[in-house]
Amino acid sequence: MTRKHKVMALDAGPPDRLEPEIAEYFRKCEEKLGFVPNVFRAYAFDNAKLKAFILMADDLMLSDSGLSKTEREMIAVAVSAINHCHYCLTSHGAALRQRGKDPELGELIAQNYRAAALDRRQKAMLDFATKLTEEPDKIEDTDRETLRKAGFSDRDIWDIAAVASFYNMSNRMAAAADMRPNAEYHYWVRERSEETAPAALKRQPGPAPVAASASPRRRSARGD
Amino acid sequence: MTRKHKVMALDAGPPDRLEPEIAEYFRKCEEKLGFVPNVFRAYAFDNAKLKAFILMADDLMLSDSGLSKTEREMIAVAVSAINHCHYCLTSHGAALRQRGKDPELGELIAQNYRAAALDRRQKAMLDFATKLTEEPDKIEDTDRETLRKAGFSDRDIWDIAAVASFYNMSNRMAAAADMRPNAEYHYWVRERSEETAPAALKRQPGPAPVAASASPRRRSARGD
Amino acid sequence: MTRKHKVMALDAGPPDRLEPEIAEYFRKCEEKLGFVPNVFRAYAFDNAKLKAFILMADDLMLSDSGLSKTEREMIAVAVSAINHCHYCLTSHGAALRQRGKDPELGELIAQNYRAAALDRRQKAMLDFATKLTEEPDKIEDTDRETLRKAGFSDRDIWDIAAVASFYNMSNRMAAAADMRPNAEYHYWVRERSEETAPAALKRQPGPAPVAASASPRRRSARGD
Amino acid sequence: MTRKHKVMALDAGPPDRLEPEIAEYFRKCEEKLGFVPNVFRAYAFDNAKLKAFILMADDLMLSDSGLSKTEREMIAVAVSAINHCHYCLTSHGAALRQRGKDPELGELIAQNYRAAALDRRQKAMLDFATKLTEEPDKIEDTDRETLRKAGFSDRDIWDIAAVASFYNMSNRMAAAADMRPNAEYHYWVRERSEETAPAALKRQPGPAPVAASASPRRRSARGD
Amino acid sequence: MTRKHKVMALDAGPPDRLEPEIAEYFRKCEEKLGFVPNVFRAYAFDNAKLKAFILMADDLMLSDSGLSKTEREMIAVAVSAINHCHYCLTSHGAALRQRGKDPELGELIAQNYRAAALDRRQKAMLDFATKLTEEPDKIEDTDRETLRKAGFSDRDIWDIAAVASFYNMSNRMAAAADMRPNAEYHYWVRERSEETAPAALKRQPGPAPVAASASPRRRSARGD
Amino acid sequence: MTRKHKVMALDAGPPDRLEPEIAEYFRKCEEKLGFVPNVFRAYAFDNAKLKAFILMADDLMLSDSGLSKTEREMIAVAVSAINHCHYCLTSHGAALRQRGKDPELGELIAQNYRAAALDRRQKAMLDFATKLTEEPDKIEDTDRETLRKAGFSDRDIWDIAAVASFYNMSNRMAAAADMRPNAEYHYWVRERSEETAPAALKRQPGPAPVAASASPRRRSARGD
């Protein structure tokens, strides 16, 4: 299907001339993932837009946080499930299978996190992300308080909100532009044993952030 | 009410030490608007997050586009109306009253754009932004085609989608953190004559983008 | 825009010959507000309909009640926000700014009352009005009991319900007929100081009820 | 069940002393229906509220209109079905069975009007009433135009809207107060032959309007 | 209206040659109900489909269970009310009036079970059936636990779920095919006294199951 | 996690003594799939329920139809995606990957069929299944007519409806009981080449129907 050879349904213009910083970022994607994610190619018609998107995405998903990187992928995937986002369920579903080293859990969150045997903390985290996605206008103090009681700091709540909100943006961008994920994602971490993920991914699960601006002040609580 | 003196309900940490670039941006806000928008103060606990947010927001709302700046504010406000976002309706409602030089139209879009006598182009633009907000999973080729028939290029469609998607993020961030808008916004451009907006706003309606990266390749179609 | 010169999109017929009682009511509107609200002009093609509407509206909003007049406007505005009613948000938003003597709170309720620092009583009142608007079929004894615990009598609950229900009617009537509010409303009570509202409004905030039938048996609890 | 002996769940106060006009109206109800509808008893704690309610209801349902009385009952019932209103489905379901002289059609509209073999006019009428009930904020010119194409005048559209809007109010009032319909309604016009309805109802299907103010200018198009 | 003479809008083919077992089942329907329910005639183009449907329906509604047959009809009717299913509200509304020997309660559940004065057990049962109908993806352990606390065994919960799920299927099948219920249902048990139901129905409220496979292990808790 | 070793959250009783016919069916499942699907084990506490479920499921998914078996799995998966059903997305997602011999398409339908490049026929099929799932009460003649115009016979429409309706039942049953799919499904047909599916599956993709009652009258249109 020729459709697969386009990264999206919109013809937003030819690729911009990549800034050196972005070109280097793309090179690292190729090296580590084996490809440049199509979402970046979709944004590549304009360096400013691409750079802002990468900066924000990498900061949210990779910088220090009280949420583990796996937990952030869980939020990304749970939000994308509500919004039925083909692109993000494929790419972040793959990332979650890889991060969580559990192909079954990755699928499960992409289907319905309520069917997972999550601990209270992660259940509260995804309940909040869900309410924020479905009825943002109904968030109240009690919702924040529930997260605090589940062990989250205010800074953690910010991060839960920021990841959930970002995918509410990305899901819509992917839907509006009909972005198509790289086919490779489908085949990541599908084997029963977790020994099968590509070595590169294991060592360093994504490209380094474009700007290493996040200060080392805070450590991820969950071993990544 | 002491509440008004906090910028949000979350205590995400003390302000980060502002990078010089950001400090200068804040200084310009003070100069031109008379204040630093509270959303920036909310993000200020972390320079990386603040910078990514400003870069993306300014690129979307201020860089060259086939959409006028007024049209982009219309989208911001229409999306925020669906999500009932107090912060964004206040700040972008003010911006739309100011950009559109029409206090009544600004209010109207914040209430229900369907009551406005919009031309076909702008009606189609807000219809798309609405569907993308309410049921992103149901966007189809026909929705993009409707925009093309209303005169939008594929690049314009990207911009409509990008602004609508961004406010779906921002609305949720404001809801999750309970951000409170600067009170000044309430009083912008409320007089019947459009001669009353602060002079600074008239000459230059917002601070310059942090990074002037947008090439001058494209012109706004609608006089701003 | 010629549109502004019509009071609605429907041509329901020429104005009926006003009954003397109604003509006097209109004269008082002119005197006190400076104009006859367009909703009355929309109904004016038929005296019977106009009279029933005015009788009901004035009884609900102006007669004795355990709810203050400001609280009744809060309900009107909160319901109209859910229904995105241009006419009612404009007219009752203005009335709420005027009654509450607080332009910011008026806006806030028109955007999302959950962002306001309401006391428990008023929060419960608007939560009930919201549920009654959004899912009337799910009201149960527990909902009435929650209001009682927040300090409302059964008669107060009736009044909350009656105001919320009435605006669920009016919002739909305004939407169906595309009623356009008088432009004057936009400019009411927009200044920071509450000293600026027109004197007439301050002394007597609306025309007297057509029929002064409400017995003086009950006093408004909240200073109006 | 003692529950049945109360007309609603709220104790809004003892009955007001009925005005003579209302007392006469109640007497006629007893004479013609065999009972005073419980909704009137619920409102009877306050003459002003009761009178406004009766004036509006009678004007909408009984005065001259381009809509037949049966059509107005169809709207009442279709709206009440969406809102799952026990009181109104019982009382107006009975009225519709009686007006339409067809127990099966009455039930059908109370269940789902889309299953009825309605003509284009009545289908358009109920489609509009449904949209106005479910998403009033999305009514647009095209919706009014569809009604015009189905043969309705602008004045008819007003009446469709007014009846649909009124039952959006009444349904909510009944839900909020938990009003219980008179048991008699259940047994109206349940026989296969239409010859069985009480004679009084046949001759004169409801009490005369309180105020016979509607001028005889317009005739009902549909034989009643 | 010729419409009434067809059992559905689809022409799925001529009736299959009835298997003897099914022919006997139809004969018993005629004998006991006076007619073969139209849903069976709709399925009769294919014996395998018809047989599977009857087996499942009869097992769910007539075999031993901790739920009384009346309770199972309550679930069927409450689910059908949510889905606004003309066929099932008519046929199971009739069955519920007959089983419950109360024409008013039957109507009430078909309108809104929340208006009924149900005991805690039955309220919990219908609340669960409603949530399962409206948002099946949000069922959690706490929902099952609420049923256990209301006195239901796990096996009972299965049965509540099975009946509610089955009518979510049947309602959709009836909607898709536009099935029309036998007119007779309208007239069942409409009289105030419960003495009027056809004798056959009283003695044995439906045809015996096709396959009498349910072991007599469990007794219905509620007198049927 | 011990959770994985239970087939559902309900303890509905010990397995019934399997009827010989069912025991043979289970043996064939073991032989062909390598396991008995957990949904059957969930139903196994009662032979009558299990048998009715298998009869209906096998008839719908495996008997002759104008819909190919792949198309029927597409419907099952698309409906389960709307209902976010973990069990059915896992089991029928696997079946669809296997039937369609395309791991990517299988995933895509489980995420959002609108992102797939479906032909008009299959698009119309899934649009109908979606509407029937989301708003069954709004199905009208025009919906059936759209399917006819896309090439479906009335009998095909029945089958589309029957499969979509069945999974609206099964999804709810799985949600209510918290059924957990066999882990093996996760690993079916995940390789890029379609040559990798287990041989048994390829030759004969599921166990034979319990009752081979479907007459060979009609052929599947789509090569299976």
Side-chain angles (χ1 to χ4, degrees):
Chain A
M1 210 167 352
T2 65
R3 173 163 198 175
K4 289 190 177 170
H5 302 298
K6 295 182 61 176
V7 300
M8 65 172 168
L10 296 178
D11 179 11
D16 208 347
R17 228 172 59 96
L18 292 184
E19 291 181 13
E21 191 182 24
I22 300 287
E24 172 61 14
Y25 185 79
F26 274 26
R27 206 192 50 71
K28 282 192 182 164
C29 287
E30 291 275 11
E31 181 182 311
K32 288 175 182 162
L33 306 178
F35 56 86
V36 175
N38 283 345
V39 64
F40 297 152
R41 295 207 182 279
Y43 272 92
F45 69 90
D46 185 300
N47 267 323
K49 296 182 196 312
L50 175 58
K51 186 174 162 184
F53 181 81
I54 290 175
L55 268 181
M56 189 177 282
D58 277 7
D59 174 72
L60 286 172
M61 302 306 280
L62 301 175
S63 75
D64 283 345
S65 167
L67 309 179
S68 73
K69 287 169 188 160
T70 302
E71 286 173 334
R72 285 177 268 175
E73 290 294 349
M74 289 169 72
I75 297 169
V77 170
V79 166
S80 302
I82 297 169
N83 291 328
H84 296 287
C85 179
H86 168 49
Y87 188 96
C88 298
L89 284 171
T90 301
S91 58
H92 289 279
L96 178 55
R97 291 194 304 273
Q98 184 266 323
R99 290 255 180 231
K101 300 187 181 59
D102 183 346
E104 296 174 38
L105 181 71
E107 282 292 283
L108 204 160
I109 304 294
Q111 294 166 346
N112 190 339
Y113 75 90
R114 290 178 200 84
L118 299 179
D119 62 24
R120 182 185 168 213
R121 168 189 164 89
Q122 293 184 337
K123 177 67 165 49
M125 176 182 85
L126 296 185
D127 283 349
F128 184 86
T130 296
K131 182 169 180 181
L132 190 59
T133 298
E134 293 183 337
E135 24 185 33
D137 55 334
K138 298 203 171 151
I139 295 286
E140 299 188 347
D141 279 340
T142 49
D143 297 300
R144 285 178 284 270
E145 204 51 38
T146 299
L147 287 178
R148 289 184 192 112
K149 281 180 187 155
F152 291 103
S153 71
D154 274 32
R155 167 61 202 275
D156 295 339
I157 297 174
W158 176 281
D159 287 353
I160 295 170
V163 175
S165 298
F166 179 80
Y167 286 96
N168 270 289
M169 177 179 74
S170 292
N171 290 171
R172 284 174 174 81
M173 212 51 221
D178 188 18
M179 291 186 198
R180 293 98 190 229
N182 308 65
E184 287 85 347
Y185 286 124
H186 286 284
Y187 306 100
W188 280 18
V189 194
R190 290 296 192 184
E191 290 76 34
R192 221 177 248 264
S193 155
E194 68 270 27
E195 305 307 314
T196 54
L201 287 170
K202 293 232 159 162
R203 266 178 284 117
Q204 195 170 350
V210 165
S213 58
S215 58
R217 192 179 47 194
R218 313 178 83 256
R219 290 252 68 89
S220 159
R222 301 260 146 167
D224 55 32
Chain B
M1 209 169 351
T2 64
R3 173 165 198 174
K4 289 192 178 170
H5 302 298
K6 294 181 64 177
V7 299
M8 65 172 168
L10 296 177
D11 179 12
D16 209 347
R17 229 172 60 95
L18 290 184
E19 290 181 13
E21 190 182 23
I22 300 288
E24 172 62 15
Y25 185 80
F26 274 27
R27 205 193 51 71
K28 282 192 183 166
C29 287
E30 291 275 10
E31 181 183 309
K32 288 175 181 162
L33 306 177
F35 56 86
V36 175
N38 283 345
V39 63
F40 297 152
R41 295 207 183 280
Y43 272 91
F45 69 89
D46 185 302
N47 268 323
K49 294 183 196 311
L50 175 58
K51 187 175 163 184
F53 181 81
I54 290 175
L55 268 182
M56 189 177 281
D58 277 6
D59 173 72
L60 286 171
M61 301 307 280
L62 301 175
S63 73
D64 283 345
S65 167
L67 309 178
S68 74
K69 286 168 189 162
T70 302
E71 286 173 334
R72 285 176 270 176
E73 290 294 349
M74 289 170 73
I75 298 170
V77 170
V79 166
S80 301
I82 298 170
N83 291 329
H84 298 285
C85 180
H86 167 50
Y87 188 97
C88 298
L89 284 170
T90 300
S91 59
H92 289 279
L96 178 55
R97 290 194 305 273
Q98 184 267 323
R99 291 255 179 231
K101 300 187 181 60
D102 183 346
E104 295 174 38
L105 181 71
E107 282 292 283
L108 204 160
I109 304 293
Q111 293 166 346
N112 190 340
Y113 73 91
R114 290 178 199 84
L118 300 179
D119 63 24
R120 181 184 169 216
R121 167 191 164 88
Q122 293 183 337
K123 177 68 165 49
M125 176 183 84
L126 296 184
D127 283 348
F128 184 87
T130 296
K131 182 169 181 182
L132 189 59
T133 297
E134 294 183 336
E135 24 184 34
D137 55 334
K138 298 204 173 152
I139 296 285
E140 299 188 348
D141 279 340
T142 49
D143 298 301
R144 285 177 285 268
E145 204 50 39
T146 299
L147 287 178
R148 289 185 192 111
K149 280 179 188 156
F152 292 104
S153 70
D154 274 33
R155 168 59 202 276
D156 296 337
I157 298 174
W158 176 281
D159 287 353
I160 295 170
V163 174
S165 298
F166 179 81
Y167 286 96
N168 270 288
M169 177 179 74
S170 291
N171 290 172
R172 284 174 174 82
M173 211 52 221
D178 187 18
M179 290 185 197
R180 294 98 189 230
N182 308 63
E184 287 85 347
Y185 286 124
H186 286 283
Y187 306 99
W188 280 19
V189 196
R190 290 295 191 186
E191 290 75 35
R192 223 176 246 264
S193 155
E194 67 270 27
E195 306 307 312
T196 53
L201 287 170
K202 292 233 160 161
R203 267 178 283 117
Q204 194 169 351
V210 166
S213 58
S215 58
R217 191 181 47 193
R218 314 177 82 257
R219 289 254 67 89
S220 160
R222 303 259 148 169
D224 57 29
Chain C
M1 210 167 351
T2 65
R3 173 163 199 173
K4 289 190 179 171
H5 301 299
K6 297 181 59 176
V7 300
M8 65 171 167
L10 296 177
D11 179 11
D16 209 347
R17 230 173 59 97
L18 290 184
E19 292 181 11
E21 188 182 28
I22 300 286
E24 171 63 13
Y25 185 79
F26 275 27
R27 206 193 49 71
K28 282 193 183 164
C29 287
E30 291 276 10
E31 180 182 312
K32 290 178 180 158
L33 307 178
F35 55 87
V36 175
N38 283 345
V39 63
F40 298 151
R41 296 208 181 279
Y43 272 92
F45 69 90
D46 185 299
N47 268 324
K49 294 182 196 312
L50 175 58
K51 186 174 163 184
F53 181 81
I54 290 175
L55 267 182
M56 189 178 280
D58 277 6
D59 173 73
L60 286 171
M61 302 307 280
L62 301 174
S63 74
D64 282 345
S65 166
L67 309 179
S68 73
K69 287 170 188 160
T70 303
E71 286 173 334
R72 285 176 270 177
E73 290 294 348
M74 288 170 72
I75 297 170
V77 171
V79 166
S80 301
I82 297 169
N83 290 330
H84 298 284
C85 179
H86 168 50
Y87 188 96
C88 298
L89 284 170
T90 300
S91 59
H92 290 279
L96 178 55
R97 291 194 305 273
Q98 184 267 323
R99 291 254 180 233
K101 301 187 181 58
D102 183 346
E104 297 174 38
L105 182 70
E107 282 291 282
L108 204 161
I109 304 294
Q111 293 165 346
N112 189 339
Y113 74 91
R114 291 178 199 84
L118 299 179
D119 63 23
R120 182 184 168 216
R121 169 188 162 89
Q122 293 183 337
K123 177 68 165 48
M125 176 183 85
L126 296 185
D127 283 348
F128 185 86
T130 297
K131 182 170 180 180
L132 190 59
T133 298
E134 294 183 337
E135 23 185 34
D137 54 335
K138 299 205 172 153
I139 295 285
E140 300 188 346
D141 280 339
T142 50
D143 297 301
R144 285 177 285 269
E145 203 51 39
T146 298
L147 287 178
R148 289 184 191 112
K149 282 180 187 155
F152 291 104
S153 70
D154 274 32
R155 167 61 202 276
D156 295 338
I157 297 174
W158 176 281
D159 287 353
I160 296 170
V163 175
S165 298
F166 179 80
Y167 287 97
N168 270 289
M169 177 178 74
S170 292
N171 291 172
R172 283 174 174 82
M173 212 51 220
D178 187 18
M179 291 184 197
R180 293 97 191 230
N182 309 64
E184 288 84 347
Y185 286 124
H186 286 285
Y187 307 99
W188 280 19
V189 195
R190 290 297 193 184
E191 291 75 34
R192 222 177 248 264
S193 156
E194 66 269 29
E195 306 306 315
T196 54
L201 287 170
K202 293 232 159 162
R203 266 179 284 114
Q204 194 169 349
V210 167
S213 59
S215 58
R217 188 182 51 195
R218 314 178 81 256
R219 290 251 68 87
S220 159
R222 304 257 149 169
D224 56 31
Chain D
M1 204 165 357
T2 64
R3 173 165 199 173
K4 290 190 178 172
H5 301 298
K6 296 182 60 177
V7 299
M8 64 171 168
L10 295 178
D11 178 12
D16 209 346
R17 229 172 59 96
L18 291 184
E19 291 181 12
E21 188 182 25
I22 299 287
E24 170 63 13
Y25 185 79
F26 275 26
R27 205 193 49 72
K28 282 193 182 164
C29 287
E30 291 275 10
E31 180 182 311
K32 289 178 181 161
L33 307 178
F35 56 87
V36 175
N38 283 345
V39 64
F40 297 152
R41 296 209 182 279
Y43 272 91
F45 69 90
D46 186 300
N47 267 324
K49 295 183 197 310
L50 175 58
K51 186 175 164 184
F53 181 82
I54 290 175
L55 267 182
M56 189 178 281
D58 277 6
D59 173 72
L60 286 171
M61 302 306 281
L62 301 175
S63 74
D64 282 345
S65 166
L67 309 179
S68 73
K69 287 170 188 160
T70 302
E71 286 172 335
R72 286 177 269 176
E73 291 292 350
M74 288 170 72
I75 297 171
V77 170
V79 166
S80 301
I82 297 170
N83 291 328
H84 298 285
C85 180
H86 168 49
Y87 188 96
C88 299
L89 284 170
T90 300
S91 58
H92 290 278
L96 178 54
R97 290 194 305 273
Q98 183 267 324
R99 290 253 179 235
K101 301 187 180 60
D102 183 346
E104 295 175 37
L105 182 71
E107 282 291 283
L108 204 160
I109 304 294
Q111 293 166 345
N112 190 340
Y113 74 91
R114 292 179 198 84
L118 300 178
D119 63 23
R120 182 184 167 215
R121 168 189 163 89
Q122 293 183 337
K123 177 67 165 50
M125 176 183 84
L126 296 184
D127 283 348
F128 185 85
T130 296
K131 183 170 180 181
L132 190 59
T133 298
E134 293 183 336
E135 23 184 35
D137 55 334
K138 298 205 173 152
I139 295 286
E140 299 189 347
D141 279 339
T142 50
D143 298 300
R144 284 178 285 269
E145 204 49 39
T146 299
L147 287 177
R148 290 186 192 109
K149 282 181 187 154
F152 292 103
S153 71
D154 274 32
R155 167 61 203 274
D156 295 338
I157 297 174
W158 176 282
D159 286 354
I160 295 170
V163 175
S165 298
F166 179 80
Y167 287 96
N168 270 289
M169 177 179 74
S170 291
N171 291 172
R172 284 175 174 82
M173 212 50 220
D178 187 18
M179 291 184 197
R180 293 97 192 231
N182 309 62
E184 287 85 346
Y185 286 124
H186 286 284
Y187 306 99
W188 279 19
V189 195
R190 291 295 193 186
E191 290 75 36
R192 225 176 244 264
S193 155
E194 67 269 28
E195 306 306 313
T196 54
L201 287 170
K202 293 232 158 161
R203 267 178 284 116
Q204 192 169 352
V210 166
S213 59
S215 58
R217 189 181 49 195
R218 315 178 80 256
R219 289 252 67 88
S220 161
R222 305 257 148 170
D224 57 29
Chain E
M1 204 168 355
T2 65
R3 174 166 199 172
K4 288 191 179 170
H5 302 298
K6 295 181 62 176
V7 300
M8 65 171 168
L10 296 178
D11 178 11
D16 209 346
R17 228 172 60 97
L18 290 184
E19 290 182 14
E21 190 182 25
I22 300 287
E24 171 62 16
Y25 186 80
F26 274 28
R27 205 193 50 72
K28 282 192 182 165
C29 286
E30 292 275 10
E31 180 183 310
K32 288 175 181 163
L33 307 177
F35 55 87
V36 175
N38 283 346
V39 62
F40 297 152
R41 296 208 183 279
Y43 272 92
F45 69 89
D46 186 300
N47 267 323
K49 295 183 196 313
L50 175 58
K51 186 174 164 184
F53 181 80
I54 290 176
L55 268 182
M56 189 178 281
D58 277 6
D59 173 72
L60 286 172
M61 301 307 279
L62 301 175
S63 74
D64 282 345
S65 167
L67 309 178
S68 73
K69 286 169 189 161
T70 302
E71 286 173 335
R72 285 176 270 176
E73 290 293 349
M74 289 170 72
I75 297 171
V77 170
V79 166
S80 301
I82 298 170
N83 291 328
H84 297 285
C85 180
H86 168 49
Y87 188 96
C88 298
L89 284 170
T90 301
S91 59
H92 289 279
L96 178 55
R97 291 193 304 275
Q98 184 267 323
R99 291 255 178 232
K101 300 186 181 59
D102 183 345
E104 296 174 38
L105 181 71
E107 282 291 283
L108 204 160
I109 304 293
Q111 293 166 348
N112 190 340
Y113 73 91
R114 290 178 200 84
L118 299 179
D119 63 23
R120 183 185 167 214
R121 168 190 163 90
Q122 293 183 337
K123 177 66 164 50
M125 176 183 85
L126 295 185
D127 282 348
F128 185 86
T130 296
K131 182 169 181 182
L132 189 59
T133 298
E134 293 183 337
E135 24 184 34
D137 54 334
K138 298 203 172 153
I139 295 286
E140 299 188 348
D141 279 340
T142 49
D143 297 300
R144 286 177 284 268
E145 204 51 37
T146 299
L147 287 177
R148 288 185 193 111
K149 281 179 187 155
F152 292 103
S153 70
D154 274 32
R155 168 60 203 276
D156 295 338
I157 298 174
W158 176 281
D159 287 353
I160 295 170
V163 174
S165 299
F166 180 80
Y167 287 96
N168 270 289
M169 177 179 74
S170 291
N171 290 172
R172 285 175 174 82
M173 211 52 220
D178 188 18
M179 291 185 197
R180 293 97 190 230
N182 309 64
E184 287 86 346
Y185 286 124
H186 286 284
Y187 306 99
W188 280 19
V189 195
R190 291 293 193 186
E191 291 75 35
R192 224 175 245 263
S193 154
E194 67 269 26
E195 305 307 312
T196 54
L201 286 170
K202 292 234 159 159
R203 266 179 284 115
Q204 195 169 349
V210 166
S213 59
S215 57
R217 191 180 48 195
R218 314 179 82 256
R219 289 252 68 87
S220 160
R222 303 261 147 167
D224 56 30
Chain F
M1 210 166 350
T2 64
R3 173 165 198 173
K4 290 191 179 171
H5 302 298
K6 296 181 61 177
V7 299
M8 65 172 167
L10 296 178
D11 179 11
D16 209 346
R17 230 172 60 95
L18 291 184
E19 289 182 13
E21 190 182 25
I22 299 288
E24 172 61 15
Y25 185 80
F26 274 28
R27 207 193 49 72
K28 282 192 184 165
C29 286
E30 291 274 10
E31 182 183 310
K32 288 175 182 163
L33 307 177
F35 56 86
V36 175
N38 283 345
V39 63
F40 298 152
R41 294 206 182 282
Y43 272 92
F45 69 89
D46 186 300
N47 267 324
K49 295 182 195 311
L50 175 58
K51 187 174 162 183
F53 181 81
I54 290 175
L55 268 181
M56 189 178 282
D58 277 6
D59 173 72
L60 285 171
M61 301 307 279
L62 301 175
S63 74
D64 283 345
S65 166
L67 309 179
S68 74
K69 287 170 187 160
T70 302
E71 286 173 334
R72 286 177 269 176
E73 290 294 349
M74 288 170 72
I75 297 170
V77 170
V79 166
S80 301
I82 297 169
N83 291 328
H84 297 285
C85 180
H86 168 49
Y87 188 96
C88 298
L89 284 170
T90 300
S91 59
H92 289 280
L96 179 55
R97 291 194 304 274
Q98 183 266 323
R99 290 254 180 233
K101 301 188 180 59
D102 182 347
E104 296 174 38
L105 182 70
E107 282 291 283
L108 204 161
I109 303 295
Q111 293 166 346
N112 190 339
Y113 74 91
R114 290 179 199 83
L118 299 179
D119 62 23
R120 183 185 167 215
R121 167 188 164 90
Q122 293 183 337
K123 178 66 165 50
M125 177 183 84
L126 296 185
D127 283 349
F128 184 86
T130 296
K131 183 169 180 183
L132 189 59
T133 297
E134 293 183 337
E135 22 185 36
D137 55 334
K138 299 204 171 151
I139 295 285
E140 299 187 347
D141 279 339
T142 50
D143 298 300
R144 284 177 286 268
E145 204 50 39
T146 299
L147 287 178
R148 289 185 192 110
K149 281 180 188 155
F152 291 104
S153 71
D154 275 31
R155 167 61 202 275
D156 295 338
I157 297 174
W158 175 280
D159 287 353
I160 294 170
V163 174
S165 298
F166 180 80
Y167 286 96
N168 270 288
M169 177 179 74
S170 291
N171 291 172
R172 284 175 174 82
M173 212 50 220
D178 188 18
M179 291 185 197
R180 294 99 191 227
N182 309 62
E184 287 85 346
Y185 286 124
H186 285 285
Y187 305 100
W188 279 19
V189 195
R190 290 296 193 185
E191 290 75 33
R192 222 176 246 263
S193 156
E194 67 270 25
E195 306 306 315
T196 55
L201 286 170
K202 293 232 158 161
R203 266 179 284 117
Q204 195 170 349
V210 166
S213 60
S215 58
R217 189 182 50 195
R218 315 178 81 257
R219 292 251 67 90
S220 159
R222 302 259 149 169
D224 55 31

